[in-house]
Amino acid sequence: MDSVELLPDAVWRQSFRRQLLRWFRRNARDLPWRQTKDPYAVWVSEIMLQQTQVLTAKSYFVRFLQRFPDIATLAASSEQEVLRYWEGLGYYRRGRSLHQAAQRMMAEFEGKFPRDPQAVQKLPGIGRYTAGAILSIAFDDRLPILETNSIRLLSRLLAYQGDTTRSVGQKLLWTFSEQLLPRRNAGSFNQALMEVGSCVCTPKSPACSNCPVRKLCRARSQKLQEVIPVVKQKTQYEDLHEAAVVIWRGQKVLLRRCTTGERWEGLWDFPRCEISAQKEHLLRKEIEKKVRKLTGFTIHVGDSLATIRHGVTRFRIKLECYEAGVLGSSRSRVSLQQKWIPVTTLEDYPLSVTGRKISRLITES
DNA sequence: AAATCGGGGCC
DNA sequence: GGCCCAGATTT
């Protein structure tokens, strides 16, 4: 049994395109990335919007384009500055991939955004969705998209009761998305899919009565719009107990660059370690030992600064923050991955959210 | 084909 | 605490 047989016919599709595009012309939100078709700007917006809400991405987009207006500027900048502009957006790999891809475009595509979907998809941080989105929006190339909003809209239109995250469901919806594409205006059409999915065909209590394609929706006719798409399983959270130390040496503090395999790769952070001791004095000993192993500096843990609770992906972190002083060093641990910086220059470094909180704690008092 | 990536906002 | 978000990458 092939579920592709359930896809609507040509008459249905033509009606759908007309209704959707008509609605989009009247209801499209005024978003900053919609004021241009520059593939670079579209690209930046699409990367920022990956797993990130429109409202969150808006201000970041404007600020980022002001500082990095084109591919050449981005490619010529340091990864650290790019990440500084990305700070707070999360999934920092996106920022690093963006920077890396810009450099590749300078080297391989004469500084221009490539037009070939295959080439685009080979760039870091760009998968099938993002490639289709950029090329359709910037050039009206006839490429399908499929992301969270369109998945919800399309699965409801079909009353598809299978799991949309599995390959069978994905294959069906990609095919559907492709068949729906109009000959022209693929960019507006794809954005319209997402706009309806986001603003009308919402996860809970979808506004079916205001939906431009309600007459075409099988989920609605079967009153299944609240249960499609099927919900995925809940995430299993893991509790972590960690400590971070602000190690002072005069007016300077020690910062460490997070490396491969750690959280916040590429960002800077105060030395941090996992902790297990329960009693206060044992805890300090544990931190002193682990920080020495981590940084090469022998420290004395002093006053407690704060306890910060922070969630990241599936982890719930309880972070104990301390101030500390240096007693000595092993000198053999010289590294580009850590350095003493004047507290006044913390603004120049991309920090994790918890790192920035600690930075504010010690500079605003 | 399914888990993971090590995020963050909002209710 | 749970749910959601213009996915990509790894296993």
Side-chain angles (χ1 to χ4, degrees):
Chain A
M1 152 79 179
D2 196 347
S3 50
V4 174
E5 294 168 6
L6 302 174
L7 293 176
D9 62 22
V11 175
W12 187 103
R13 297 199 298 267
Q14 191 52 36
S15 171
F16 178 79
R17 292 179 194 115
R18 191 169 300 137
Q19 297 304 321
L20 193 73
L21 282 167
R22 192 165 72 108
W23 178 90
F24 189 63
R25 280 196 298 273
R26 292 203 280 235
N27 296 282
R29 286 172 290 182
D30 180 22
L31 303 173
W33 45 85
R34 288 188 176 155
Q35 295 180 4
T36 173
K37 285 203 169 188
D38 173 11
Y40 169 73
V42 175
W43 170 41
V44 171
S45 75
E46 287 302 334
I47 301 299
M48 285 189 173
L49 286 164
Q50 288 171 2
Q51 298 298 98
T52 302
Q53 301 186 137
V54 165
L55 201 61
T56 305
K58 270 172 126 175
S59 59
Y60 279 90
F61 175 81
V62 174
R63 211 166 45 112
F64 195 94
L65 257 80
Q66 235 158 20
R67 173 62 189 86
F68 312 105
D70 49 48
I71 295 172
T73 307
L74 179 59
S77 304
S78 69
E79 180 186 290
Q80 177 160 320
E81 190 180 6
V82 174
L83 287 177
R84 186 66 187 84
Y85 277 77
W86 206 269
E87 185 184 305
L89 255 187
Y91 286 126
Y92 299 95
R93 175 191 298 269
R94 296 181 296 174
R96 295 189 296 118
S97 296
L98 198 68
H99 181 235
Q100 190 187 329
Q103 295 183 330
R104 198 174 291 182
M105 286 179 212
M106 294 305 290
E108 299 171 22
F109 303 109
E110 302 172 325
K112 291 194 291 193
F113 195 93
R115 184 78 180 261
D116 171 23
Q118 304 280 10
V120 172
Q121 234 181 114
K122 281 188 188 131
L123 294 165
I126 301 184
R128 188 176 179 187
Y129 161 76
T130 304
I134 297 169
L135 293 177
S136 65
I137 294 170
F139 304 112
D140 272 325
D141 287 339
R142 208 164 163 277
L143 296 166
I145 58 148
L146 193 66
E147 41 66 71
T148 186
N149 296 304
S150 42
I151 287 171
R152 194 166 53 245
L153 174 61
L154 298 185
S155 62
R156 283 174 175 167
L157 285 167
L158 296 177
Y160 180 69
Q161 299 189 58
D163 189 335
T164 58
T165 68
R166 304 287 250 274
S167 61
V168 178
Q170 288 277 310
K171 188 182 175 193
L172 174 73
L173 295 176
W174 272 109
T175 302
F176 191 23
S177 181
E178 187 169 19
Q179 288 187 1
L180 287 175
L181 279 170
R183 236 181 304 281
R184 293 177 299 170
N185 301 319
S188 290
F189 179 83
N190 282 340
Q191 292 186 81
L193 279 181
M194 297 189 275
E195 196 84 342
V196 171
S198 172
C199 302
V200 180
C201 197
T202 51
K204 290 175 182 173
S205 311
C208 296
S209 54
N210 296 328
C211 180
V213 291
R214 59 185 176 279
K215 290 180 183 170
L216 300 171
C217 185
R218 295 179 187 164
R220 184 180 185 237
S221 69
Q222 298 173 224
K223 300 192 188 307
L224 290 173
Q225 66 270 28
E226 293 278 2
V227 296
I228 293 176
V230 297
V231 293
K232 59 172 184 180
Q233 64 181 40
K234 284 180 277 194
T235 50
Q236 288 286 309
Y237 290 103
E238 185 177 334
D239 289 319
L240 294 180
H241 199 189
E242 299 184 348
V245 283
V246 179
I247 309 173
W248 290 94
R249 197 166 74 178
Q251 289 304 303
K252 292 184 175 182
V253 294
L254 186 64
L255 233 49
R256 222 179 66 80
R257 205 168 92 96
C258 305
T259 62
T260 312
E262 296 180 303
R263 281 190 298 271
W264 303 308
E265 179 179 354
L267 272 60
W268 293 79
D269 205 356
F270 296 94
R272 162 204 293 264
C273 63
E274 202 161 343
I275 50 179
S276 55
Q278 296 301 320
K279 294 180 180 171
E280 188 71 12
H281 66 287
L282 288 177
L283 185 57
R284 286 166 199 272
K285 290 297 170 207
E286 182 182 7
I287 295 170
E288 286 165 2
K289 184 177 173 184
K290 287 182 172 171
V291 168
R292 185 170 65 234
K293 187 170 158 67
L294 182 72
T295 67
F297 289 101
T298 305
I299 64 167
H300 175 261
V301 174
D303 293 340
S304 166
L305 264 173
T307 300
I308 298 174
R309 286 165 211 280
H310 182 71
V312 43
T313 60
R314 63 186 185 86
F315 299 98
R316 311 262 181 162
I317 306 170
K318 185 180 175 189
L319 183 65
E320 315 284 358
C321 307
Y322 291 90
E323 297 196 272
V326 194
L327 300 177
S329 74
S330 60
R331 299 246 333 155
S332 59
R333 298 291 306 271
V334 180
S335 166
L336 292 173
Q337 305 302 326
Q338 68 180 34
K339 60 180 177 180
W340 294 96
I341 66 151
V343 284
T344 52
T345 64
L346 277 167
E347 284 296 324
D348 300 333
Y349 291 81
L351 303 179
S352 66
V353 167
T354 53
R356 189 58 68 192
K357 281 182 183 169
I358 295 171
S359 146
R360 281 197 289 264
L361 280 175
I362 61 175
T363 55
E364 289 176 3
S365 59

